[in-house]
Amino acid sequence: MKLKVIATGVLALVTIGANAQNINGAGATFPYPIYSKWFSEYSALHPDVKINYQSIGSGGGIRQVSEGTVDFGATDGPMTDQQLKDAKIKVIHIPTVLGAVVPVYNLPGVAKELNFSSDVIADIYLGKISKWNDPRITKDNPGISLPDKSILPVYRSDGSGTTFIFTDFLSKVSPDWSSKVGHSTSVKWPTGIGQKGNEGVAGMVRQSPYSFGYVELIYAETNKMSFGAVRNASGKFLKASTAGVTAAAAATSKTMPADYRVSITNAAGADSYPIASFTWLLIPTHSTDPNKAKALADFLGWMLDHGESEAAALTYAPLPKQVQDMVRKSIANVK
């Protein structure tokens, strides 16, 4: 009798394994911490669905989903009209959460948190500000003794949504940056050293005294890195927080475009953190495998019902209710 029960259990496991939906995705590192948690939790609740995700950067996610080599992509910089047109399959953007990009630095001997004006950040990467004790930095940080040391700017070398968000912000606050560099998931950096992924930038800044970089908020907090307050559109220096990101999204969410491709960097409002963004999953509207499409649609529904409540614990902001309501309707187009 016991052997029969064991055999039945083994057969059930084999059957589940044989029928399991393996869904493969790739893309942004910005939301990787929460995606990793969500996909693991969902698979635990639904053993017949396994979601595999490679954190390779937004550029890679756009490329792979456009070529049809993955079941979904992920990006922090929305696809351009041309990218959507060139894609081999029709793709829709599904916003998942909002997050913040923060300026991180390694400044030995300086314990106080620093303030950074938006134009100062742009000019550090333009090479116009090269010393930590530059008058424009000291002006924003009265009473703090800054060293006469060269700044080492660190940037993302891969196609990156974090870079898109950061350079989108810089393009709005610096005409010089806008005309010379612009905004994209990958740009030609005037100065500095490149590293792959949020992990790579965080690691380089941590091990390099007098360096300066940009990473997603959770990477800064997880690695216990110093990160500065940024002057927002209202002239207020603000440290990144879920409340500041939510404030930045508040006005935009009321007029969210139907395709969800929107920028909220340098948003108006005294409480708006200026380097904030939605992040998106890139979902094919018509899959070659209807079972995978259904599994993806079911996951998206679970994300709205359960996953959003976990966002704040990982320093992301959940989708505003108006956007959640829109996404529920969009899920119906995934077939």
Side-chain angles (χ1 to χ4, degrees):
M1 186 66 178
K2 289 182 178 178
L3 288 174
K4 186 176 180 181
V5 171
I6 292 172
T8 301
V10 170
L11 180 60
L13 289 172
V14 170
T15 302
I16 289 173
N19 296 328
Q21 289 295 328
N22 286 300
I23 300 173
N24 299 311
T29 64
F30 179 90
Y32 176 71
I34 196 164
Y35 286 177
S36 179
K37 180 177 176 61
W38 282 352
F39 297 154
S40 176
E41 287 182 357
Y42 190 78
S43 293
L45 293 169
H46 303 83
D48 56 333
V49 177
K50 183 173 177 57
I51 304 176
N52 308 297
Y53 182 73
Q54 288 185 303
S55 174
I56 61 171
S58 295
I62 290 172
R63 183 175 61 255
Q64 290 200 20
V65 76
S66 297
E67 294 172 352
T69 56
V70 291
D71 300 310
F72 68 92
T75 183
D76 310 314
M79 293 173 67
T80 65
D81 291 343
Q82 190 63 48
Q83 286 173 327
L84 288 169
K85 182 180 178 181
D86 292 343
K88 294 180 180 178
I89 54 177
K90 186 177 180 182
V91 174
I92 58 173
H93 291 65
I94 296 292
T96 54
V97 291
L98 299 109
V101 176
V102 298
V104 290
Y105 55 90
N106 182 339
L107 208 48
V110 177
K112 292 185 178 181
E113 295 173 348
L114 299 184
N115 294 326
F116 294 99
S117 291
S118 51
D119 58 310
V120 165
I121 296 174
D123 284 352
I124 287 174
Y125 280 100
L126 284 169
K128 292 183 175 183
I129 295 177
S130 59
K131 295 281 190 177
W132 276 107
N133 63 346
D134 185 281
R136 290 168 63 194
I137 300 179
T138 58
K139 180 184 176 182
D140 290 336
N141 296 279
I144 300 178
S145 179
L146 296 171
D148 182 19
K149 295 287 187 178
S150 295
I151 302 172
L152 173 63
V154 184
Y155 59 84
R156 287 283 292 274
S157 59
D158 53 329
S160 156
T162 308
T163 292
F164 180 92
I165 298 164
F166 191 64
T167 58
D168 183 54
F169 166 69
L170 295 182
S171 292
K172 289 181 180 179
V173 299
S174 168
D176 203 16
W177 182 275
S178 180
S179 63
K180 292 181 178 178
V181 183
H183 66 279
S184 180
T185 53
S186 182
V187 299
K188 186 175 181 180
W189 294 90
T191 187
I193 183 171
Q195 294 292 309
K196 188 175 181 180
N198 272 290
E199 305 93 333
V201 172
M204 175 59 73
V205 172
R206 285 187 69 193
Q207 70 186 31
S208 305
Y210 310 110
S211 56
F212 181 88
Y214 61 95
V215 297
E216 203 277 325
L217 176 58
I218 193 171
Y219 287 88
E221 295 203 335
T222 301
N223 290 288
K224 296 179 169 52
M225 303 176 73
S226 297
F227 63 95
V230 182
R231 190 178 66 189
N232 66 12
S234 295
K236 180 181 178 181
F237 286 104
L238 207 63
K239 284 206 74 174
S241 67
T242 54
V245 173
T246 299
T252 308
S253 66
K254 297 175 183 177
T255 55
M256 174 67 74
D259 64 3
Y260 304 105
R261 294 186 297 160
V262 66
S263 167
I264 61 170
T265 56
N266 206 40
D271 298 323
S272 297
Y273 180 72
I275 321 179
S277 178
F278 286 92
T279 187
W280 299 265
L281 288 177
L282 303 172
I283 308 291
T285 55
H286 290 81
S287 172
T288 55
D289 186 337
N291 292 324
K292 284 189 177 183
K294 183 181 185 306
L296 264 176
D298 289 346
F299 164 77
L300 293 172
W302 175 90
M303 175 192 79
L304 294 175
D305 292 336
H306 303 283
E308 293 296 319
S309 64
E310 301 176 341
L314 290 174
T315 72
Y316 298 95
L319 296 178
K321 184 180 184 303
Q322 301 98 313
V323 180
Q324 289 194 36
D325 291 343
M326 289 177 65
V327 170
R328 288 187 192 281
K329 294 178 181 178
S330 297
I331 294 172
N333 295 321
V334 180
K335 300 174 182 178

